Structures are given as structure tokens and as C-alpha cells.
Amino acid sequence: MAKLPILTLPDPVLRKLSQPVERIDAEVLRLADDMLETMYAAPGVGLAAIQVGVPRRLVVLDVAEDDEQPQPMTLINPEIVALGELTRLHEEGCLSIPDFRLEIERPASVKLRYIDRTGEQHELTAEGLLATAIQHEINHLDGKLIIDFLSPLKRDMVVRKFKKLARTESL
Ligand SMILES: [Zn+2]
């Protein structure tokens, strides 16, 4: 396994629409393993393939608490089929937007369809942090970031800050 570099704001690749995974081969499985290693090292609870520059509908997650056994999940071509009516407020961070957090209200439960590493299709009802994380990661697959929940003015301020930071780092 290998740790991969994570793309950060304002990298335009993060805005790309990810395409479905057509075939689960060794390359896809290795990418999923590398993404898990990258996510654990960050550390984070979720990572989408586009965040390491691969525009495919592939997500890894692990929302286990620190004192629990790891629960790595690989979701291939995940699709939300239903959203719960209740909402949940959570302060979200994003590995592509370092040192930025935003409280976001999203549906508290989701029904999800996805393909696992063996190619088998599953349906899953998720609640709590898992429901939040799944929605966050599927947003990535559609080129959407948590700053899109801000007003355009506030969003521009965050983007400007990261552009400035990127310029400083490249000096
Ligand atoms: Zn993110």
C-alpha cells in the first residue's frame, strides 16, 4: 500500500464529475487500499477517489471511534436512493480543505446502494456520522465541496485564502 497526495483547494480537479467504476480489477482494489491508508494517515473518516486525483465513483470510509476496532468500508458507485426526513447537524471538516470546519445540516439517515470490493451489490441504511460522511463523500463525486454550503461571499473568502496559501507555498 502507498500513501497518496491529497488534492486541496483551489485545485480545479476537485470540481470534476467522477465517472462510474466500470470494472473492479486489481488496479481499482489497489487504489481503494491506498486511499484507506491515506485516509487513516491524514487522519480522516472518509476519502473520495477524486481527492487523490482519480475521477471515479469510489469512496472509502471508517467512522469507528478511536477505542473501537477499525471498520474500513469501500463503496463503489455509491448511490443514495432515499433520504430521511429528520436532519442532523454536524461540524464537518474536509481533507481537501485543511484547517477549515463548517457546521452543516443534512438528512440524518440515508438509504444507499453500492457495490463492494467483490462486485456484490448492497443496500445499506446509514444513520449518525456514517450518514453525514456518506453524503459528504458523494458530494465529492459530484464535484461539490462543503464550502458550497456557504453564501457566495463567504465561499469566495475561503477560496481566496487558499489561493493565497497555494501561492506562498509554491515560492
Ligand atoms: Zn471532503
Side-chain angles (χ1 to χ4, degrees):
M1 293 210 283
K3 229 181 89 185
L4 306 168
I6 299 175
L7 304 183
T8 55
L9 209 66
D11 197 313
V13 173
L14 290 168
R15 293 304 194 173
K16 273 195 170 176
L17 179 68
S18 294
Q19 301 299 322
V21 174
E22 280 165 9
R23 199 159 49 95
I24 301 167
D25 53 16
E27 204 181 321
V28 168
L29 295 178
R30 201 187 53 211
L31 174 62
D33 287 340
D34 289 347
M35 283 167 59
L36 278 166
E37 186 178 338
T38 305
M39 178 189 80
Y40 285 126
V45 298
L47 189 69
I50 193 67
Q51 292 180 274
V52 293
V54 182
R56 290 283 164 215
R57 302 190 82 82
L58 171 65
V59 161
V60 295
L61 293 159
D62 189 338
V63 297
E65 300 283 347
D66 289 343
D67 57 353
E68 287 178 328
Q69 287 275 62
Q71 291 160 25
M73 297 177 74
T74 300
L75 310 179
I76 298 166
N77 300 339
E79 216 182 313
I80 290 175
V81 290
L83 292 168
E85 278 177 23
L86 297 176
T87 60
R88 175 177 192 269
L89 205 58
H90 186 77
E91 198 185 60
E92 297 182 30
C94 179
L95 295 178
S96 293
I97 314 175
D99 303 319
F100 175 79
R101 301 193 73 82
L102 180 65
E103 201 167 64
I104 296 176
E105 189 176 7
R106 301 182 187 263
S109 64
V110 293
K111 200 166 151 194
L112 180 81
R113 195 176 293 146
Y114 70 96
I115 298 169
D116 73 12
R117 303 170 63 107
T118 68
E120 207 178 309
Q121 189 175 284
H122 296 270
E123 241 179 46
L124 166 83
T125 300
E127 292 175 340
L129 180 58
L130 183 58
T132 297
I134 284 170
Q135 293 172 75
H136 177 121
E137 298 311 328
I138 289 180
N139 279 168
H140 274 301
L141 303 184
D142 297 324
K144 191 172 177 185
L145 301 169
I146 53 174
I147 52 168
D148 299 343
F149 287 85
L150 291 168
S151 68
L153 187 72
K154 282 187 179 158
R155 183 166 61 236
D156 283 352
M157 276 167 59
V158 177
V159 173
R160 259 206 303 278
K161 198 184 103 188
F162 276 88
K163 276 187 181 155
K164 206 168 152 189
L165 208 64
R167 269 203 305 274
T168 317
E169 278 171 1
S170 59
L171 282 177

